[in-house]
Amino acid sequence: MDLAVNFADDHWPLLIAEYDFPTRVLTTYPIWLRSNQSNFTKTKYGAIKRISFEDQPPMDFQVGFGMLLDLPTGFHRGPFEGFGVDPRIRYIISAFDEVEGVAGLTICNDHEISIDGEEIRLPEHIYQDVRLDINRAHEAAVRFANGEKVSYLRNRLLPSVVPDFEPDDFERPALGLIDIHRSQIIAARR
């Protein structure tokens, strides 16, 4: 079963997903599908042009809800999102851009990462581990940045309105963003 989008142009329909019933493999072709942006219909990633998922049930169409895909956490499940991953974890996909000759990524149940022709085989359990590590590092960076903003704004704005205000009263302790990122990723491996 193929899922294609039709538009009035010569290179359409554009294939965005296909399902192979005998092998139970769902393959998506992540592209940008926001028609108001300059990257409309362009691929989302560098070398990786398709992402496949092994042992997937057939696509489920429900009246009023459209098509539902049962993909791992972090992957866009709807065709009008253009498939692919949440932008915060796109680095997982782009890390494979450095592997020469690859064009696809397969999320599988293997034990180790491997390469099969032009396919990178990424076990789902490894994907989930790195996804969580990246999310922890992202959240730590956001907390750090928000704390720095609050500290800056208090020190910049409060001296004018708080009697006897000393800017050091709200100074955050010196802690580097690099140290925060490393500690979040290292803590996850323990």
Side-chain angles (χ1 to χ4, degrees), residues 5-26:
V5 176
N6 284 306
F7 293 96
D9 200 321
D10 293 344
H11 62 283
W12 302 97
L14 182 64
L15 182 65
I16 59 173
E18 59 187 342
Y19 182 78
D20 185 46
F21 285 95
T23 62
R24 294 178 49 93
V25 173
L26 171 67

Side-chain angles (χ1 to χ4, degrees), residues 32-186:
W32 296 104
L33 285 178
R34 291 197 177 130
S35 62
N36 62 342
Q37 295 182 340
S38 63
N39 59 2
F40 180 58
T41 71
K42 296 201 176 17
T43 59
K44 286 189 174 184
Y45 309 111
I48 303 298
K49 305 297 184 214
R50 64 183 174 271
I51 301 174
S52 299
F53 304 88
E54 292 184 344
D55 198 27
Q56 291 293 305
M59 295 179 235
D60 184 18
F61 293 90
Q62 294 185 1
V63 176
F65 293 105
M67 184 177 69
L68 302 174
L69 299 178
D70 184 26
L71 301 179
T73 301
F75 282 94
H76 294 294
R77 293 175 164 92
F80 294 106
E81 295 172 314
F83 295 113
V85 295
D86 183 277
R88 292 186 305 177
I89 60 171
R90 70 186 177 281
Y91 306 104
I92 297 170
I93 307 300
S94 62
F96 295 115
D97 283 341
E98 297 178 27
V99 180
E100 191 172 322
V102 300
L105 175 68
T106 299
I107 304 298
C108 59
N109 290 321
D110 299 353
H111 296 289
E112 298 294 327
I113 300 172
S114 63
I115 189 165
D116 182 14
E118 59 179 28
E119 292 289 317
I120 298 284
R121 294 183 57 78
L122 177 62
E124 186 173 352
H125 72 92
I126 294 174
Y127 161 76
Q128 294 294 358
D129 287 346
V130 297
R131 178 187 65 79
L132 291 171
D133 291 346
I134 293 298
N135 279 338
R136 275 190 288 273
H138 176 81
E139 293 302 320
V142 168
R143 281 191 305 274
F144 178 86
N146 287 342
E148 290 298 307
K149 290 178 217 174
V150 167
S151 179
Y152 165 76
L153 290 170
R154 285 178 171 168
N155 286 315
R156 179 73 171 88
L157 302 175
L158 293 184
S160 300
V161 295
V162 176
D164 301 322
F165 175 81
E166 292 293 328
D168 290 339
D169 287 347
F170 295 105
E171 198 76 24
R172 283 176 35 97
L175 186 60
L177 184 57
I178 291 172
D179 294 333
I180 287 175
H181 272 105
R182 285 187 182 139
S183 69
Q184 291 300 307
I185 291 174
I186 290 169

